[in-house]
Amino acid sequence: MTSSDRSQTVDVQRTYEVRTYGCQMNVHDSERLSGLLEDAGYVRAPEGSDGDADVVVFNTCAVRENADNKLYGNLGRLAPKKTTRPGMQIAVGGCLAQKDRDTIVKKAPWVDVVFGTHNIGKLPVLLERARVQEEAQIEIAESLEAFPSTLPTRRESAYAAWVSISVGCNNTCTFCIVPALRGKEEDRRPGDILAEIEALVAEGVSEITLLGQNVNAYGSDLGDREAFSKLLRACGEIEGLERVRFTSPHPRDFTDDVIAAMAETPNVMPQLHMPLQSGSDTILRAMRRSYRQERFLGIIEKVRAAIPHAAISTDIIVGFPGETEEDFEQTMHTVREARFANAFTFQYSKRPGTPAAEMDGQIPKEVVQARYERLVALQEEISWEENKKQVGRTLEVMVAEGEGRKDGSTHRLSGRAPDNRLVHFTKPEQEVRPGDVVTVEITYAAPHHLLAEGPTTSVRRTRAGDAWEKRTAAAAAKPAGVLLGLPKIGVPEPLPTADAPACGSH
């Protein structure tokens, strides 16, 4: 998008709403879409608008079997609103838009704009063109037009941020359509990444999550096999950056230099999300995963030797085509051996356009469900046992916003330990803000969280807390929200949700 395109603004202040489906990459893109719209003069619609905005943008996912049904159902619910709201516009972007293209407007002719994963920067221009020409604008680029981090962004957090280091993926996993929709891996220059992180830290951010479709393959596009470990070490040199995380790596590319960098860089957190997918070598081969059970467990063993308190999580797919009871038992065995802090488990569902969707040996739903329940029960038991080992430990917890749904009734606050475990702690007498750091002793463990029921040992007010306070005051003065300039990235989710593996669950 040219500078003249970027400078297009709407005639009057119009509201927008962005609805996001899918993985962290989509969340990251939605932050950019919001920033682009605000840069063009739109203002964010109040919470709970539910389609009452002047512009509604759907940022779609294509990895779930019913993704298209969900989209068209939501579009159908907006059709009556559009007929009664002159000037309302609807835009559809993301992976499903990249995949379905013309189909969207044929099925939902009231849609004004369809754009793809490679040209999100064109959204304001396409909306204006659709308004002026009074016809739908469909523009799908086949390759990346501008790296997303060059675009303005409305970042949701003052203290934590995504930083994208690459886009695209070079893998060919048979269950995943994402490489076909987001393209081959393209890496950012290390200097650009570090400059963005330094700018974020200057604004008060104290935690960043490095984001990539296959994050530890970073460097393959640059011709440097150790580029990712070098990047982690460089993050350790940035003053004021307290916590560094990354997601999601691939076992194939997880090398010893990365483990060493994690262990030797103090602000790289003792946490690793390492997708397993299956513990069966037969199924891993059918998935076109380039590692086997022994290799995976070997990585886990090396990480634990170098970082004893590391919390390791994973993604697992149950019921992949051809999975026998013996194959499933190999997954159960791997889970027992790896002792994950938690696991995001998914029942296999056909993803249209993937090789796996056409494979023989599709497993009956009831068999998949039964295996899934056995796996979840085993992992719950392990998660609880691993969390109980945290009781008695004194941890530094970064206070979070919106992590504890019951905090109001329990008079507690919530935050994340260095290893990313969720901690609920007794509210101290001293004022504590999101982004501040408290020291607490863990007194109780549940499968999915820890409790610190005693008094807080210490409270450390931080620049991140100052930034949150300043931003909150600004938001109160201007309810629609403010665009805080470049660069801005969305607050990281700790891990993918159960509905949203990291773009195909790498």
Side-chain angles (χ1 to χ4, degrees):
M1 184 165 61
T2 66
S3 58
S4 60
D5 287 336
R6 284 274 297 276
S7 65
Q8 295 283 341
T9 56
V10 292
D11 297 331
V12 295
Q13 199 170 62
R14 305 182 71 211
T15 58
Y16 77 89
E17 176 189 352
V18 178
R19 299 187 186 182
T20 310
Y21 304 95
C23 66
Q24 302 104 319
M25 198 67 73
N26 275 23
V27 173
H28 179 72
D29 285 348
S30 288
E31 300 287 338
R32 303 292 182 190
L33 294 170
S34 296
L36 283 159
L37 290 170
E38 293 192 11
D39 202 38
Y42 296 84
V43 296
R44 190 174 190 174
E47 292 294 329
S49 298
D50 193 26
D52 285 332
D54 295 304
V55 172
V56 180
V57 182
F58 291 88
N59 189 10
T60 63
C61 170
V63 302
R64 305 299 289 177
E65 185 176 20
N66 64 349
D68 53 349
N69 293 333
K70 191 171 187 178
L71 170 66
Y72 294 119
N74 285 321
L75 289 174
R77 282 188 285 276
L78 283 186
K81 288 191 177 185
K82 191 174 181 190
T83 60
T84 60
R85 189 182 182 107
M88 180 181 178
Q89 291 182 295
I90 300 171
V92 179
C95 289
L96 194 62
Q98 187 80 20
K99 174 175 166 285
D100 284 0
R101 305 174 184 239
D102 296 340
T103 306
I104 293 172
V105 172
K106 288 177 181 176
K107 289 187 175 181
W110 54 92
V111 169
D112 299 276
V113 171
V114 179
F115 62 101
T117 59
H118 299 306
N119 63 331
I120 65 174
K122 292 297 263 305
L123 175 61
V125 173
L126 293 172
L127 287 168
E128 181 67 8
R129 196 184 298 162
R131 185 179 70 85
V132 172
Q133 297 182 6
E134 297 184 340
E135 63 180 12
Q137 301 297 308
I138 303 170
E139 190 167 311
I140 305 291
E142 296 303 327
S143 60
L144 193 66
E145 292 189 349
F147 205 94
S149 292
T150 64
L151 303 174
T153 301
R154 187 190 195 282
R155 186 164 53 84
E156 297 297 330
S157 171
Y159 57 89
W162 295 114
V163 173
S164 182
I165 69 172
S166 65
V167 294
C169 181
N170 294 335
N171 294 321
T172 58
C173 301
T174 55
F175 55 79
C176 182
I177 197 172
V178 169
L181 301 180
R182 290 195 176 263
K184 293 292 186 181
E185 179 177 327
E186 293 187 44
D187 296 332
R188 292 177 70 192
R189 290 178 59 253
D192 292 342
I193 296 168
L194 294 171
E196 180 177 354
I197 295 172
E198 288 170 352
L200 288 164
V201 171
E203 292 176 353
V205 167
S206 59
E207 176 178 318
I208 61 104
T209 300
L210 303 174
L211 179 65
Q213 214 79 55
N214 180 5
V215 72
N216 60 317
Y218 177 75
S220 63
D221 187 41
L222 303 173
D224 184 354
R225 293 178 61 85
E226 296 189 355
F228 186 61
S229 62
K230 292 174 183 176
L231 182 62
L232 290 178
R233 292 183 186 276
C235 287
E237 301 297 319
I238 298 177
E239 186 176 351
L241 179 58
E242 297 195 16
R243 295 186 173 191
V244 177
R245 307 185 190 279
F246 58 88
T247 193
S248 286
H250 190 293
R252 180 193 67 187
D253 303 299
F254 206 81
T255 49
D256 290 349
D257 61 298
V258 173
I259 297 173
M262 291 177 65
E264 296 165 11
T265 310
N267 63 356
V268 175
M269 293 295 95
Q271 174 217 348
L272 176 64
H273 184 70
M274 179 69 76
L276 168 65
Q277 307 307 359
S278 174
S280 162
D281 288 354
T282 301
I283 297 301
L284 288 171
R285 192 174 296 111
M287 289 177 167
R288 285 195 204 140
R289 304 287 285 179
S290 52
Y291 56 88
R292 300 296 175 257
Q293 181 192 111
E294 183 179 4
R295 157 77 172 151
F296 185 93
L297 290 174
I299 293 172
I300 302 300
E301 185 178 354
K302 286 181 178 180
V303 170
R304 290 223 165 96
I307 314 167
H309 288 301
I312 301 173
S313 56
T314 197
D315 296 328
I316 301 173
I317 297 173
V318 178
F320 188 82
E323 182 187 75
T324 65
E325 180 64 23
E326 183 181 352
D327 292 322
F328 177 69
E329 282 297 338
Q330 285 298 307
T331 296
M332 297 284 276
H333 167 75
T334 308
V335 169
R336 292 187 188 99
E337 291 293 309
R339 299 198 64 79
F340 299 113
N342 53 54
F344 297 89
T345 50
F346 308 93
Q347 297 185 41
Y348 173 77
S349 62
K350 290 183 179 181
R351 280 115 185 215
T354 63
E358 307 301 323
M359 286 182 176
D360 295 332
Q362 302 286 330
I363 311 298
K365 170 66 176 175
E366 60 272 17
V367 175
V368 178
Q369 181 68 34
R371 289 176 183 171
Y372 174 80
E373 290 173 2
R374 286 161 57 194
L375 176 60
V376 168
L378 172 62
Q379 183 56 52
E380 288 277 302
E381 180 184 329
I382 293 172
S383 294
W384 199 359
E385 290 172 357
E386 291 300 306
N387 275 1
K388 286 176 182 176
K389 295 177 183 178
Q390 305 298 310
V391 174
R393 291 190 67 197
T394 298
L395 302 175
E396 278 201 338
V397 175
M398 182 176 289
V399 183
E401 187 173 27
E403 293 260 32
R405 287 172 293 180
K406 299 179 181 178
D407 283 351
S409 60
T410 59
H411 304 290
R412 295 184 181 123
L413 296 176
S414 299
R416 293 281 168 176
D419 64 8
N420 212 38
R421 283 182 165 94
L422 178 62
V423 180
H424 304 301
F425 59 94
T426 301
K427 188 175 182 179
E429 293 182 7
Q430 183 178 346
E431 181 191 13
V432 179
R433 308 159 302 176
D436 287 339
V437 175
V438 300
T439 304
V440 298
E441 182 179 333
I442 303 304
T443 57
Y444 176 81
H448 302 292
H449 68 265
L450 304 173
L451 285 182
E453 299 165 298
T456 301
T457 305
S458 68
V459 174
R460 177 163 60 85
R461 292 173 69 85
T462 65
R463 290 173 61 253
D466 294 342
W468 178 88
E469 191 170 12
K470 181 178 179 181
R471 178 167 172 157
T472 302
K478 187 179 180 183
V482 293
L483 186 68
L484 299 183
L486 284 168
K488 299 287 172 133
I489 327 299
V491 58
E493 301 267 344
L495 287 171
T497 65
D499 285 334
C503 276
S505 191
H506 290 292

